[in-house]
Amino acid sequence: MDLKLPISTVIPSLDGPVLQVLARADEGLSGRQIHKLAGQGSVAGVRLVLQRLAATGLVHVDDAGNSLLYQLNRKHLVAPVVEFLADLRTALVGRLSDELSTWRLPPVHASLYGALARADGDLESDVELLLIRPDDLDAHDPLWNEQAANLMQTTVDLTGNPAHVFELSRTELANHLVTETPILNDWLNPTLHLA
């Protein structure tokens, strides 16, 4: 999965970023606004995509004086699919959170950090997870390690990206905080909370 623009996993053309912008918008946007928010292609290219999508009925076009305003037709049969694809990051967080909620040995904390949280990765970027275990739980506990391995595999299955789990105890985390270990910057800013 492209961690910067997950919708491009299924819609690799300029249509993907354009549809993502429209799926997140609550009001009509001009072609220039959509181009700016999409951050890809040219204004002319975005307008061509919008015209093609309007011809399918997926996008409504309203005349607003000197410009045209485009809006996703949320009644269209494929609109829910577009909205889901535009929010794959949230879907991933939900699925991983659901899995963590079933753990017999739950973590003190779990989050996603790195490229996925920053939304600046690509198809080859790792999905990085931080797991904090209770101090009284041994790092070599078989059930804990099985759960962590399953979470990693679930992440790979859901995204197609390699997964990396950084796992430590509460005390080990506290030691990192005291020594101001540089990886703290990755763990803290930004993160996607899982548990």
Side-chain angles (χ1 to χ4, degrees), residues 141-158:
D141 183 283
L143 179 56
W144 174 263
N145 288 323
E146 179 184 345
Q147 292 175 153
N150 289 342
L151 183 67
M152 247 175 54
Q153 187 59 52
T154 296
T155 304
V156 171
D157 290 343
L158 291 172

Side-chain angles (χ1 to χ4, degrees), residues 16-194:
V18 168
L19 285 168
Q20 182 164 297
V21 168
L22 292 170
R24 292 178 175 170
D26 294 328
E27 57 188 21
L29 299 171
S30 71
R32 286 195 182 282
Q33 289 173 310
I34 294 168
H35 172 256
K36 183 178 179 183
L37 292 169
Q40 298 199 15
S42 64
V43 174
V46 166
R47 284 195 178 120
L48 286 173
V49 167
L50 290 166
Q51 289 170 3
R52 186 173 61 259
L53 294 171
T56 68
L58 184 56
V59 171
H60 284 167
V61 184
D62 293 316
D63 192 349
N66 291 338
S67 64
L68 298 175
L69 297 181
Y70 301 90
Q71 194 166 19
L72 183 67
N73 173 8
R74 299 196 189 276
K75 293 180 181 176
H76 197 283
L77 285 173
V78 299
V81 175
V82 170
E83 290 172 321
F84 177 78
L85 291 173
D87 205 15
L88 286 176
R89 192 173 284 108
T90 299
L92 175 62
V93 167
R95 295 280 292 274
L96 295 178
S97 294
D98 288 347
E99 181 169 326
L100 284 159
S101 72
T102 68
W103 281 24
R104 291 188 8 225
L105 295 174
V108 173
H109 169 87
S111 59
L112 291 160
Y113 68 97
L116 181 71
R118 292 188 309 266
D120 66 1
D122 58 27
L123 286 168
E124 297 176 14
S125 297
D126 288 1
V127 176
E128 297 171 300
L129 298 113
L130 174 64
L131 290 177
I132 309 298
R133 70 179 184 286
D135 281 333
D136 61 352
L137 182 62
D138 181 59
H140 302 293
D141 183 283
L143 179 56
W144 174 263
N145 288 323
E146 179 184 345
Q147 292 175 153
N150 289 342
L151 183 67
M152 247 175 54
Q153 187 59 52
T154 296
T155 304
V156 171
D157 290 343
L158 291 172
T159 65
N161 297 66
H164 174 74
V165 173
F166 200 104
E167 178 260 326
L168 63 165
S169 69
R170 285 183 80 157
T171 299
E172 290 167 333
L173 176 62
N175 291 338
H176 280 292
L177 291 168
V178 169
T179 60
E180 297 182 3
T181 306
I183 197 166
L184 288 171
N185 294 328
D186 287 341
W187 292 344
L188 298 174
N189 297 310
T191 62
L192 300 172
H193 183 76
L194 298 174

